[in-house]
Amino acid sequence: MADTSTQSIVIGAPPERVAAVICDFPSYPEWTEAVRGTEVVEEYEDGYASQVRFTIDAGVMADEYVLAYEYAEDLSRIEWHLVAPSKMQRSQRGSYDLVGNPDGSTTVTYTLEVELAVGMLGMFRRKAEKMIMDTALKQLKRRVETPGAAH
């Protein structure tokens, strides 16, 4: 059974800059600790990735999987799902919702639903999801807000 978790963070940059970092999949290994490698497998006609292969190693969890991406026209929502079950996951669905704030910052809401292929007690699964989301949002914030790191 997959649970959905949601978490938000405010990033000191406009939505376009946040979206640019999220959509720059080849750079993920530079700023996302668990990601060892990424490969854009397929692109849409506009050049945005439609399928991306991830190789991750988070110590307790190592996996390789392909995510299919869809984008709102204004990039205010970027969502994905697992193309096929992997060694560790039966399914994964997620999204980033980006909302511009009057002060020029962006509120990013990350929603993640993962069904693991391996059994894990609910309590530990929720703790792991929270840690994954927490880490992802903090690393995204650091990448976007660090001068010269994002384009």
Side-chain angles (χ1 to χ4, degrees), residues 7-151:
Q7 225 170 291
S8 296
I9 197 168
V10 175
I11 296 179
E16 311 77 66
R17 208 157 105 220
V18 177
V21 171
I22 293 170
C23 295
D24 183 11
F25 297 105
S27 294
Y28 274 43
E30 295 172 17
W31 61 273
T32 311
E33 288 167 16
V35 177
R36 297 291 173 247
T38 55
E39 178 194 355
V40 175
V41 181
E42 248 177 57
E43 289 183 345
Y44 290 109
E45 286 177 18
D46 61 9
Y48 283 98
S50 65
Q51 291 196 4
V52 181
R53 175 177 290 110
F54 287 86
T55 304
I56 63 161
D57 186 352
V60 294
M61 186 172 142
D63 203 2
E64 188 174 308
Y65 53 90
V66 176
L67 298 178
Y69 283 84
E70 290 179 28
Y71 310 86
E73 204 150 310
D74 63 356
L75 295 181
S76 63
R77 182 175 179 87
I78 300 165
E79 56 187 14
W80 63 88
H81 67 270
L82 192 65
V83 172
S86 68
K87 184 175 75 177
M88 297 295 286
Q89 302 172 76
R90 277 201 193 98
S91 69
Q92 181 187 138
R93 286 194 169 284
S95 63
Y96 283 112
D97 287 292
L98 283 52
V99 178
N101 299 316
D103 66 357
S105 66
T106 303
T107 298
V108 179
T109 302
Y110 181 13
T111 304
L112 183 64
E113 178 185 298
V114 177
E115 187 178 353
L116 295 173
V118 292
M120 189 182 272
L121 288 171
M123 178 179 72
F124 293 115
R125 187 177 67 237
R126 281 188 292 282
K127 193 178 244 179
E129 276 177 2
K130 183 182 175 348
M131 197 181 74
I132 289 165
M133 296 178 80
D134 222 37
T135 303
L137 287 172
K138 283 179 182 151
Q139 289 175 355
L140 175 63
K141 179 178 172 75
R142 188 170 58 228
R143 176 70 173 194
V144 173
E145 292 180 351
T146 303
H151 42 282

